[in-house]
Every structure is written in structure tokens, then in C-alpha cells.
Amino acid sequence: MASSNSCAEIQITDGEQFRVRFGDEVRSGDLYYLGIDPRNKDHNCPADVGLMRLIDGWIETIVANSEGVIFYLPFDFSDEFTRWLACERKDSEITIVFGWAEVEGWSFSPSDFSEHSRDLKNFQPDEPTNPQTFYTPRILSNLRCSRAKIPRST
């Protein structure tokens, strides 16, 4: 269970899945695709390394995007679609909506999703749509905390 100070959390739940939580919404992702990222310098890496790289990409993307720009963060890579967070920063806050798009999970790199982060075609928010707004520095802190808590493979 997340602490009361946590508004965001990414956590490995078992050997094959990880959980993504923002506020009161929780989704899961499959670790498999994170370990076979063709653009990783070591191609087939342990899933925990792939998850840490994904979180690093999220942090970099959140920091790099300016106010009023909608951008997307991927978290579940399936053969026929991907799951995303649609995000928009305003002042010191970020609004997040869970959803999906028909971009195949194998068609781009989980460690370098920049080609879709600002230009994701046909994003569909989950129903019912639940936009949630958080303090951006807190989200970044929670993501860094989640990254630090990922168990390392041996």
C-alpha cells in the first residue's frame, strides 16, 4: 500500500506485471516488453532495468514539456495497442488521464518513446474519464522514489 504522501507509484507486483497508480486510479502493465526493447544498448535486459529506464523516460518527458502542451507517457505495451497517460502541465500542477491508443507495443522502444510523446494518434481516454491533477514536484519525487524501490535482478 502506498503511503499517504504518495500520489503516484510504480511497483512490480509479481514476476510478470507492474502496477501504475496515480491518485485513485490503478492499472497494470506487462514487464515482458520492457526487457526486449530493441533500442536498449544491451537489447535483452532484465525487466527491472527496463522498468527503471521507462520511469527515467517519464521523468525526462515531464520535465522537458512546457505548460499547456499535452504529452503522453506509455506504460503497457501489447501486440495490438498501448496504454498511455495523457498529461498536461499548468503552473506547478500536472493533470493526468489514463487511456490507450492503437499503436502496437512492439513498434517503438519503451526506453525511447519520444516519437509518440508529443504526437500520439487517436488517444482514447478510459471510460469514465477521470482527470486528476497533482503538484508536479510531488509526482516527480514519487516517481524517483518508485524507481529507487524497484528490486534489482541478480
Side-chain angles (χ1 to χ4, degrees):
M1 187 75 180
S3 73
S4 61
N5 287 333
S6 178
C7 56
E9 179 182 52
I10 301 172
Q11 178 181 41
I12 295 177
T13 56
D14 63 35
E16 299 173 10
Q17 298 283 309
F18 64 98
R19 180 179 70 201
V20 175
R21 182 187 62 77
F22 281 86
D24 59 2
E25 296 227 27
V26 179
R27 303 290 188 279
S28 63
D30 190 344
L31 287 168
Y32 172 75
Y33 282 96
L34 302 181
I36 59 168
D37 184 343
R39 293 187 197 161
N40 280 339
K41 60 183 175 249
D42 44 5
H43 188 59
N44 291 320
C45 66
D48 59 312
V49 172
L51 184 56
M52 287 187 281
R53 289 177 180 165
L54 181 67
I55 294 170
D56 289 343
W58 283 18
I59 291 168
E60 291 169 13
T61 303
I62 291 169
V63 169
N65 279 283
S66 55
E67 276 193 40
V69 174
I70 296 174
F71 58 95
Y72 303 91
L73 306 173
F75 67 90
D76 188 21
F77 302 81
S78 297
D79 286 339
E80 297 178 7
F81 67 93
T82 40
R83 308 247 331 125
W84 298 82
L85 301 169
C87 306
E88 183 177 11
R89 289 182 52 194
K90 183 176 181 186
D91 298 325
S92 62
E93 295 182 326
I94 185 168
T95 299
I96 296 172
V97 174
F98 281 89
W100 63 278
E102 292 180 350
V103 178
E104 295 93 350
W106 52 265
S107 69
F108 68 99
S109 173
S111 66
D112 179 13
F113 52 86
S114 59
E115 64 192 280
H116 295 293
S117 72
R118 294 278 291 276
D119 188 27
L120 182 63
K121 305 291 186 217
N122 301 316
F123 174 80
Q124 299 294 317
D126 289 350
E127 296 293 334
T129 303
N130 182 21
Q132 299 183 84
T133 302
F134 307 100
Y135 183 53
T136 304
R138 188 169 172 201
I139 289 290
L140 293 169
S141 176
N142 288 169
L143 290 173
R144 289 180 182 110
C145 241
S146 288
R147 186 191 188 284
K149 291 179 182 177
I150 293 172
R152 309 300 197 269
S153 57
T154 55

